């Protein structure tokens, strides 16, 4: 079982790519008396994640040179007893290191299906689950031929293995396909991989949801279910608008978690955190994509108030307090307060000179936490994906009307010009 060691044995956990929400893990583990070392899967680390890395939280930083055997040997020499993954870019290395160190992880044979969005859908299809019609190619003509044969618009173009809605573009005709393909092919995506091919998928219509879970030995505990709302930007990019935390149970929620459980089985996600994005269509749930890691940009403070834990604290608990996790996972989570995140959407471009409106947000009755917000002197540009959003605002309150009113106020301030820009 994950986390089982002899009584009194010192625990040292290696975290692969402790970026974004993964940067919360060392603090969570410290509460269990567990020290951490860091494993950096790439050199350099992806630029979008570098600001979230906290080197002072670790005894050492082991930079992966390309040899799993060498990296595993370095971790053994340090006395590593446990292994977790923090961010999407570390998933493949985590799988291979877990196997090399004989620690709980996920089968490397299915690693590619957990990172490559094309292989992900094809693996679900082979397992008999509903999946998205698609094609992958480095040849624009093949994608155009596929779109013509499908005869249904829009189609969606995206990188094969990025995250955060990076490069996800909705195309209403062939001209827009050509433009989106040209913007993606040969480009290094947000996670540092070169887009040698582009993925084209059929548009899936429905209501979007996120389901977060933590699994131990193939048994998932669903920690949060969010209803997701997005906004289509003028260039065809779909960006996050806001998410609403739902109760754990209900006809919709039960349908979602039943489907996600089968997805986890099909993709071999048996141990660790998972973050599923899916669409509830007229024919039932369809996976958009899943990450075998923590959800990005989480607010422990917000979900701690709302449901008693966060995705990160639950992962730490599952590994280092088995009895408590077992008790918790015996029943669905209970939503005690109403929670929502609002993804700021920039239509401004320039250098930030003032943050008055952001400080006004801090005074809203339901304000809980601001995540990844800029500071004075930072450059800002129009939002085209999660990485170019100027932050997330988390709201939580026992009264849903208070949360809704504060959400509307934030959008009103955005319409008026949220940031003061330098002349």
């Amino acid at each position: 079982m994950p986390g089982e060691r002899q009584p009194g044995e010192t625990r040292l956990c290696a975290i692969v790519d402790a970026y974004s929400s993964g940067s919360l893990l060392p603090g969570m583990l410290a509460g269990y008396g567990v020290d951490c070392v860091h494993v950096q899967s790439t050199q350099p680390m992806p630029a979008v994640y570098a600001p979230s890395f906290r080197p002072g939280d670790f005894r050492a930083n082991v930079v992966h040179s390309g040899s799993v055997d060498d990296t595993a040997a370095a971790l053994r020499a340090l006395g590593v007893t446990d292994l977790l993954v923090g961010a999407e870019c570390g998933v493949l290395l985590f799988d291979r290191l877990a196997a090399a160190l004989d620690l709980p992880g996920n089968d490397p044979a299915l690693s590619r299906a957990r990172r490559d969005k094309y292989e992900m859908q094809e693996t679900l299809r082979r397992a008999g689950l509903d999946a998205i019609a698609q094609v992958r190619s480095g040849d624009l003509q093949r994608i155009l031929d596929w779109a013509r044969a499908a005869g249904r618009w829009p189609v969606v173009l995206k990188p094969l293995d990025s995250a955060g809605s990076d490069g996800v573009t909705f195309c209403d005709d062939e001209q827009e396909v050509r433009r989106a393909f040209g913007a993606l092919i040969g480009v290094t995506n947000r996670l540092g991989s070169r887009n040698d091919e582009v993925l084209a998928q059929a548009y899936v219509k429905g209501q979007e949801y996120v389901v977060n879970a933590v699994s131990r030995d193939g048994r998932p505990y669903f920690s949060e279910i969010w209803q997701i709302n997005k906004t289509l930007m003028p260039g065809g990019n779909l960006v996050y608008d806001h998410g609403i935390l739902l109760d754990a149970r209900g006809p919709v929620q039960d349908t979602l978690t039943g489907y996600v459980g089968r997805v986890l089985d099909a993709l071999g996600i048996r141990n660790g955190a998972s973050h599923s994005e899916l669409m509830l269509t007229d024919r039932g749930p369809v996976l958009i994509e899943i990450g075998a890691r923590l959800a990005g940009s989480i607010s422990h403070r917000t979900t701690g108030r709302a449901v008693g834990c966060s995705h990160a604290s639950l992962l730490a608990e599952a590994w280092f307090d088995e009895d408590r996790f077992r008790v918790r996972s015996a029943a669905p989570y209970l939503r005690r307060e109403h929670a929502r995140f609002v993804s700021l959407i920039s239509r401004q471009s320039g250098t930030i000179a003032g943050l008055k409106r952001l400080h006004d947000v801090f005074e809203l009755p339901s304000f809980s936490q601001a995540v990844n917000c800029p500071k004075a002197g930072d450059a800002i540009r129009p939002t085209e994906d999660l990485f170019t959003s100027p932050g997330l605002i988390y709201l939580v309150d026992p009264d849903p009307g208070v949360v809704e009113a504060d959400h509307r106020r934030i959008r009103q301030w955005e319409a008026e010009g949220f940031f003061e820009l330098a002349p």
Side-chain angles (χ1 to χ4, degrees):
M1 300 285 281
E4 287 187 340
R5 294 287 183 274
Q6 294 302 313
E9 182 181 353
T10 301
R11 307 287 287 274
L12 180 63
C13 184
I15 304 174
V16 183
D17 290 352
Y19 315 139
S20 184
S21 298
S23 66
L24 300 176
L25 289 173
M28 302 291 178
L29 271 54
Y32 297 99
V34 177
D35 284 344
C36 296
V37 299
H38 186 252
V39 180
Q40 183 178 323
S41 70
T42 61
Q43 178 64 28
M45 65 181 63
V48 293
Y49 286 143
S52 65
F53 180 51
R54 301 170 185 170
D57 288 346
F58 301 94
R59 285 191 190 177
N61 182 39
V62 177
V63 180
H64 178 60
S65 64
S67 167
V68 173
D69 289 342
D70 288 351
T71 302
L75 297 180
R76 287 193 197 95
L78 289 167
V80 164
T81 58
D82 299 273
L83 187 71
L84 294 172
V85 62
E88 183 73 21
C89 48
V91 168
L92 295 179
L93 181 58
F94 167 79
D95 290 345
R96 298 172 69 191
L97 284 175
L101 294 168
D102 195 24
L103 291 173
N106 298 312
D107 184 0
L110 284 170
S111 289
R112 199 67 240 167
R114 293 189 285 269
R115 281 287 288 120
D116 184 306
K117 294 176 176 61
Y118 178 87
E119 292 299 333
M120 188 179 292
Q121 294 292 331
E122 295 307 306
T123 300
L124 297 185
R125 207 183 318 278
R126 289 191 293 269
L129 293 172
D130 204 346
I132 304 173
Q134 60 179 0
V135 67
R136 62 184 289 179
S137 183
D139 179 5
L140 171 62
Q141 191 58 51
R142 185 178 178 199
I143 289 178
L144 288 170
D145 290 345
W146 173 85
R148 290 176 191 136
R152 296 181 63 183
W153 300 91
V155 297
V156 185
L157 267 61
K158 61 176 72 171
L160 285 166
D161 62 354
S162 194
S165 68
D166 173 28
V168 177
T169 308
F170 287 70
C171 304
D172 288 318
D173 54 38
E174 291 187 15
Q175 182 178 353
E176 291 186 358
V177 169
R178 293 176 188 275
R179 187 182 305 119
F181 182 90
L184 288 170
I185 195 69
V187 172
T188 299
N189 64 42
R190 296 280 184 176
L191 297 193
S193 299
R194 177 185 163 92
N195 297 330
D196 293 320
E197 292 183 296
V198 171
L199 176 61
Q201 293 183 325
Y203 171 68
V204 180
K205 184 179 180 180
Q207 175 62 56
E208 186 171 350
Y209 295 88
V210 157
V211 177
N212 293 332
V214 170
S215 298
R216 271 186 34 168
D217 291 339
R219 298 189 303 274
Y221 175 70
F222 299 104
S223 59
E224 302 148 65
I225 303 172
W226 295 83
Q227 179 183 307
I228 302 299
N229 299 278
K230 291 183 175 179
T231 296
L232 189 64
M233 302 303 284
N237 299 81
L238 197 65
V239 302
Y240 283 89
D241 186 286
H242 70 281
I244 301 171
L245 182 64
L246 303 181
D247 291 323
R249 298 300 304 271
V252 168
Q253 296 93 314
D254 294 347
T255 297
L256 296 173
T257 55
Y259 173 82
V260 172
R262 295 191 293 276
V263 168
L264 294 173
D265 287 342
L267 296 175
I269 302 175
R270 295 181 51 80
N271 288 295
S274 60
H275 171 70
S276 303
E277 301 172 12
L278 56 157
M279 200 74 75
L280 186 57
T281 73
D282 291 341
R283 65 181 192 258
V286 179
L287 185 78
I288 304 301
E289 58 189 69
I290 188 171
R293 41 77 180 176
L294 294 169
S297 302
I298 65 173
S299 169
H300 173 70
R301 183 182 307 162
T302 304
T303 55
R305 277 181 57 178
V307 299
C309 66
S310 69
H311 207 194
S313 70
L314 187 67
L315 179 61
E317 179 181 285
W319 254 242
F320 300 104
D321 192 344
E322 299 175 41
D323 291 341
R324 186 178 182 186
F325 180 75
R326 191 176 297 113
V327 170
R328 185 191 301 275
S329 59
Y333 70 81
L334 176 65
R335 183 176 56 80
R336 301 176 296 199
E337 295 192 41
H338 296 270
R340 179 177 302 203
F341 70 79
V342 179
S343 184
L344 296 178
I345 300 172
S346 170
R347 293 174 175 83
Q348 298 175 281
S349 183
T351 300
I352 295 174
L355 298 167
K356 180 184 182 303
R357 284 305 188 196
L358 185 59
H359 293 150
D360 289 341
V361 167
F362 298 164
E363 300 302 319
L364 292 172
S366 68
F367 172 75
S368 174
Q369 189 171 5
V371 177
N372 297 334
C373 288
K375 60 185 183 300
D378 286 349
I380 192 170
R381 63 188 180 90
T383 299
E384 59 183 25
D385 55 27
L386 192 59
F387 296 110
T388 49
S389 164
L392 294 175
I393 305 299
Y394 279 91
L395 309 173
V396 62
D397 196 87
D399 184 347
V402 172
V403 173
E404 177 65 33
D406 288 349
H407 180 184
R408 288 199 303 270
R409 196 167 290 116
I410 291 169
R411 290 300 185 218
Q412 177 185 341
W413 288 338
E414 274 189 336
E416 296 168 355
F418 195 84
F419 296 103
E420 302 161 60
L421 300 181

